[in-house]
Amino acid sequence: MATWLNFNSQDSISPLMEQLTFFHDHTLMILAIIVTMVTYIMISMMVNKYINRYLLEGQTIELIWTMAPAMTLIFIALPSLQLLYLMDEINSPEITIKSIGHQWFWSYELSDFKEIEFDSYMIPENEQTNSSFRLLDVDNRLALPYNAMTRMIVSSTDVIHSWTIPSAGVKIDATPGRLNQTTFYINRSGIHFGQCSEICGTNHSFMPIVVESISPKHFIQWVKSL
């Protein structure tokens, strides 16, 4: 979970988020090299006393400063495209969850097992305990099995919302009259927090998302208890 002193990304809970973190570090490394080179060239040009008032063309240097940025963009674009297709890939999901955004709460449907539907509201501040997470905890958490491919179908009943779990690398818009879908794979247990990432009204900051990843055995027990 992110805190006020956390400047980095949250610890990943899915292979997709791990790849996104690697791509972020890869891109920042390239940008750091570019900034260092440009800074060095600008400083060296300002402090030296060499001038050439009659320079008309320099085909060699023009070729270099055309090819170098092109090669740099290729090194950034190739892993970016690979990640883009990886995010859209849906391979035999083992469980399907439908999430519907409302002003201002989320409702979930698990139609794979039986007609299971429940709403998930943020716990008001006056009802929280010492172990509650302020503005993040909900009354009904969504339980999901880890080590299982999960398909999330998202829609909305009123305005545009966005179902987001940063640690899983999942952010998908909930659009009225439209079904959007994505898949993710959680590889460890824990309680993972998210919030609506689309400004949807006055209480936009008060519709959090809580996913509790548990073992498949405990997930079946949870489904039977509903």
Side-chain angles (χ1 to χ4, degrees), residues 1 47 69 73 75 77 87 100 113 120 124 156 159 208 211 224:
M1 182 181 69
V47 299
L73 290 177
F75 277 104
M87 293 171 66
I100 303 175
F113 306 93
S120 181
S156 173
V159 297
V211 171
K224 289 180 178 179

Side-chain angles (χ1 to χ4, degrees), residues 1 120-125 128-141 191-195 206-212:
M1 182 181 69
S120 181
Y121 288 86
M122 186 192 76
I123 299 177
E125 194 168 358
Q128 292 181 350
T129 62
N130 292 332
S131 60
S132 299
F133 296 95
R134 180 176 177 270
L135 301 182
L136 287 176
D137 225 337
V138 296
D139 53 358
N140 293 313
R141 295 174 177 174
I191 301 174
H192 317 295
F193 297 90
Q195 290 176 300
F206 304 102
M207 50 181 306
I209 304 161
V210 182
V211 171
E212 187 171 352

Side-chain angles (χ1 to χ4, degrees), residues 13 95 97 108 110 118 120 133 136-148 150 152 163-165 167-168 184 186-194 208-220 222-223 225-226:
I13 62 170
I95 178 175
I97 310 292
Y108 299 98
L110 288 77
F118 61 92
S120 181
F133 296 95
L136 287 176
D137 225 337
V138 296
D139 53 358
N140 293 313
R141 295 174 177 174
L142 174 64
L144 291 176
Y146 57 77
N147 293 336
T150 303
M152 180 65 65
W163 198 88
T164 307
I165 298 292
S167 56
F184 55 92
I186 299 177
N187 54 17
R188 61 184 175 89
S189 61
I191 301 174
H192 317 295
F193 297 90
I209 304 161
V210 182
V211 171
E212 187 171 352
S213 57
I214 55 180
S215 66
K217 176 182 177 181
H218 289 91
F219 175 75
I220 296 300
W222 176 76
V223 169
S225 66
L226 295 176

Side-chain angles (χ1 to χ4, degrees), residues 6-129:
N6 190 357
F7 295 102
N8 301 318
S9 300
Q10 298 182 25
D11 293 338
S12 62
I13 62 170
S14 68
L16 174 60
M17 188 59 190
E18 290 179 2
Q19 294 300 318
L20 288 172
T21 304
F22 293 152
F23 175 69
H24 172 268
D25 296 341
H26 168 77
T27 306
L28 278 187
M29 181 186 66
I30 294 177
L31 292 178
I33 295 173
I34 293 174
V35 170
T36 303
M37 290 180 58
V38 171
T39 303
Y40 170 76
I41 293 172
M42 291 180 63
I43 293 176
S44 63
M45 290 179 63
M46 288 188 292
V47 299
N48 70 53
K49 297 181 180 180
Y50 299 106
I51 59 173
N52 191 340
R53 297 172 57 192
Y54 304 104
L55 179 64
L56 297 179
E57 65 178 25
Q59 294 183 358
T60 302
I61 190 64
E62 288 180 1
L63 181 64
I64 291 174
W65 71 40
T66 301
M67 295 299 297
M71 294 298 295
T72 303
L73 290 177
I74 290 175
F75 277 104
I76 295 176
L78 289 180
S80 175
L81 289 173
Q82 182 183 11
L83 266 178
L84 183 64
Y85 282 101
L86 183 64
M87 293 171 66
D88 288 337
E89 190 174 0
I90 300 177
N91 286 328
S92 303
E94 299 174 66
I95 178 175
T96 299
I97 310 292
K98 184 177 181 181
S99 176
I100 303 175
H102 307 264
Q103 289 183 315
W104 288 268
F105 65 95
W106 295 94
S107 62
Y108 299 98
E109 299 179 9
L110 288 77
S111 56
D112 285 347
F113 306 93
K114 55 181 181 179
E115 291 300 324
I116 299 176
E117 300 180 8
F118 61 92
D119 298 331
S120 181
Y121 288 86
M122 186 192 76
I123 299 177
E125 194 168 358
N126 57 355
E127 298 180 10
Q128 292 181 350
T129 62

